[in-house]
Amino acid sequence: KMCPGIRVHTHRFRAEQGATIIEDEVQDALPYAPLSELVYPLVCLQLHRIFRYRQHTIQAVFFEGTSQY
């Protein structure tokens, strides 16, 4: 079951010097403010882990052996 917060997640892909750059923008509005401010650092940490995992997976799939995870 998902959190009742509002999340907008935008993916952008752009070419730069022969490479594809993947950019993400995540906008969250957690419910139950001001209590949600207590868990906000945990949400940020989890998002960081998700994106780090994705970066590692993309590097492993497309550039096997060059991952810096």
Side-chain angles (χ1 to χ4, degrees), residues 56 58-69:
H56 171 71
I58 288 171
Q59 287 178 346
V61 168
F62 293 104
F63 309 102
E64 188 172 338
T66 63
S67 176
Q68 297 179 16
Y69 185 73

Side-chain angles (χ1 to χ4, degrees), residues 45-62:
L45 178 62
Q46 187 62 27
L47 285 173
H48 178 73
R49 288 177 178 164
I50 290 167
F51 291 125
R52 188 174 58 208
Y53 173 79
R54 186 184 71 185
Q55 180 182 17
H56 171 71
T57 302
I58 288 171
Q59 287 178 346
V61 168
F62 293 104

Side-chain angles (χ1 to χ4, degrees), residues 4-6 10 12 15 17-18 21 26-27 29 31-33 36 43 46 49 56 60 69:
I6 298 168
T10 304
R12 291 185 185 87
Q17 298 178 354
I21 306 299
V26 178
Q27 298 174 355
Y32 313 117
S36 60
V43 171
Q46 187 62 27
R49 288 177 178 164
H56 171 71
Y69 185 73

Side-chain angles (χ1 to χ4, degrees), residues 12-23:
R12 291 185 185 87
F13 299 85
R14 62 182 170 83
E16 185 175 294
Q17 298 178 354
T20 300
I21 306 299
I22 303 171
E23 296 178 330

